[in-house]
Amino acid sequence: MFTILVILAAVALYVVYVYNGLVKSRQMTEEAWSGIDVQLKRRADLIPNLIETVKGYAAHEKGTLEEVVELRNKAQAVPSGDVAGRAQAEGLLGQALGRVIALAEAYPDLKANQNFLELQKSLETIEGEIQMSRRYYNGAARDLNVKVDSFPSNLVARNFGFGKAGYFEIANEADRAVPSVKF
């Protein structure tokens, strides 16, 4: 009888240990997603200033500028938990931003404008931080997914409703293309 109680206690402790590990991994994934969300918000906040600066120099590029604003609004409208949807929307926005930056080649006065240069530098910094946040999130999602899929933690995960996290990936191969920017 004592042996059975010891075995049951050991199994219960193991289940608690695995459960807590899954909770920790889920929290790390959610924290990582929050980091991406913060950086994407910073970029979205920068876009109106960039558009206003470019508008003064490139009035006949109205379609490109309107597209960026429209894509920004669409990206912000994606629900926070929709990782795949947000990745797709942000990929399209990134491409459109690349086209706005590329406009500077056609407008030498814009290319020399201090506000534009500062906004461009800020955008480059934010893009780097978004990339770091994406890598961190994908690492946290990988760790959670390994625990959810691995035996025997998958038994605990299944019984307590833990699911896999989606990766923040670019789904469309065309979105992977780096915009051509020449200065």
Side-chain angles (χ1 to χ4, degrees), residues 84-102:
R86 189 70 180 264
Q88 181 180 15
E90 292 295 339
L92 293 171
L93 177 58
Q95 280 187 323
L97 278 173
R99 289 191 295 276
V100 168
I101 297 298

Side-chain angles (χ1 to χ4, degrees), residues 10-11 14 21 25 35 47 50 53 69 73 91 102 109 116 123 127 130 146 149 155-156 162 169 171 173 180:
V11 169
Y14 180 74
S25 291
I47 290 171
L50 182 65
T53 301
V69 172
N73 293 339
D109 290 341
F116 179 77
L123 187 59
E127 290 296 332
I130 290 171
V146 166
D149 283 344
L155 300 174
V156 175
F162 286 89
E169 300 177 307
E173 284 298 318
S180 175

